[in-house]
Amino acid sequence: MNEMTVAAAQGCIVDAVRQLGSESVALQRALGRVLAEEVQANRDQPPYDVSAMDGFALRSADVANAPAVLEVIEDIKAGEMPRNTLAAGQCARIMTGAPVPAGADAVIRVEDTQALADSRVQIKCSVKPGNDIRVRGESMSDGATVLKCGSEITPGVVGLLAMVKRAAVQVYRQPSVAILSTGDELEGLDEPFDANKIPDANSYALMAQVQALGIEPVLLGIARDQPEALRAALQQGLQHDVLLVSGGTSVGVHDYVRPTLEALGVQMKFWGVAMKPGHPMTFGVAPLTWVFGLPGNPVSSMVCFEQFVLPALRCIMGHRRLYRRTVTARLAHQIKHRPGRSEFIRVTLDRDADGYIAISTGAQGSGMLSSMAQADGLLVVAAGSEGLAANSSVTVQLLEGTAFQAHHGMP
Ligand code: AMP
Ligand code: MG
């Protein structure tokens, strides 16, 4: 199998995954999920013409030659219906959200009026018909589609769903995600300290990356580099919708992950991506499971998650925007690069009047998790680049936040 470009590998993965059906969730638990149904308005909103201001409902013709003095015939509060129809020379004191009385065709805000004795008010300026009136059905009309299938449930969407009285909604099912670390040298978080071992960081970094997408993964622990132990652990992982295996995917003589997956019937789609870090990344498809073989080096594993697992999980969850949002930044210093592989440089982002400034987090070794811990983003160096000069314009994938985009942003 040939080494693939990052974009081609992303395309292969996104083509291979799909949504997993839908389930009903309470509105209180719906944030971050994706609608698997279209939602319609169940009434006109507002239900009648209402005032947009605290002020006076009046007949615009009466104040065409303002200032003018009008008789105040009633007070209308939000939630009350007007009792009278306005005749010439009359107005009603009205609160924001209260129904506009029959006969009135405009509202004037209280700031443009002056109360007088004997239930009279001076209107200081003229208003056009319709002024400060929200007309019936202006924000939604009964039966109209207010949300399309595939909409991400943001706080604004939650508000809209409450507005149409949806206590529960149909959303795409979340995948169950299993995480397995492999390696004889690894020491689990709750195992006794041994200075000769390597703490299993990947299980937890990957766990957190999955959690950040709103999914609670299952940690399968550490499988040792023995075919039988690995086989048993991978079999357990294949009970889940998505399996993330880190380590053992390279070409070392004890890298059993790929052959064992193949022996378990996983159809490997590719091995090796033209990227740094993250080269020995692999992806396969089993009857029930999408399998990602991630490199063992902690930074490589996290960078591969960002490029490949994140868009896959978002696609399975029903999202249309699969990729991290990218921003354009100015490079604070030069970056050397030999043409061949796409490179992802951990950077912090600063800002001045001209926009973002990208600054390398320092040493970029694929085992140096501190570079990942400090990073605001991943600067993308195109595979063909011959290096980037200080002050040149670069693309940075943001590592934080809930904003995503439809395009992968690979140059
Ligand atoms: P591998 O891909 O198995 O050849 O591992 C590459 C490097 O990553 C080795 O130095 C491993 O010790 C290290 N490594 C593998 N898995 C983990 C892990 N779960 N946590 C931290 N380091 C790891
Ligand atoms: Mg290993």
Side-chain angles (χ1 to χ4, degrees), residues 124-168:
K124 295 182 185 165
C125 48
S126 63
V127 288
K128 292 205 177 88
N131 188 65
D132 282 333
I133 291 177
R134 290 194 209 127
V135 301
R136 173 180 177 160
E138 175 182 293
S139 50
M140 56 178 80
S141 58
D142 191 12
T145 297
V146 290
L147 289 165
K148 289 196 186 125
C149 186
S151 304
E152 174 173 345
I153 303 181
T154 60
V157 169
V158 171
L160 197 51
L161 287 167
M163 190 65 97
V164 298
K165 296 283 290 264
R166 292 299 305 266

Side-chain angles (χ1 to χ4, degrees), residues 339-402:
R341 294 174 174 173
S342 301
E343 192 169 349
F344 297 88
I345 313 259
R346 276 74 74 206
V347 295
T348 58
L349 283 176
D350 227 332
R351 230 201 133 98
D352 66 9
D354 296 327
Y356 288 113
I357 306 160
I359 307 150
S360 163
T361 57
Q364 297 282 315
S366 57
M368 291 181 175
L369 262 182
S370 54
S371 72
M372 207 60 203
Q374 290 164 36
D376 295 317
L378 296 175
L379 185 162
V380 187
V381 185
S385 166
E386 300 195 325
L388 299 168
N391 278 320
S392 57
S393 174
V394 293
T395 299
V396 177
Q397 301 174 345
L398 299 180
L399 285 174
E400 289 291 317
T402 54

Side-chain angles (χ1 to χ4, degrees), residues 182-186 225 246-250 254-255 296:
T182 71
D184 284 345
E185 75 282 29
L186 298 182
D225 293 321
S246 77
T249 59
S250 200
H254 300 293
D255 289 337

Side-chain angles (χ1 to χ4, degrees), residues 2-17:
N2 281 334
E3 200 170 91
M4 282 178 113
T5 66
V6 174
Q10 286 171 329
C12 169
I13 289 166
V14 167
D15 284 347
V17 299

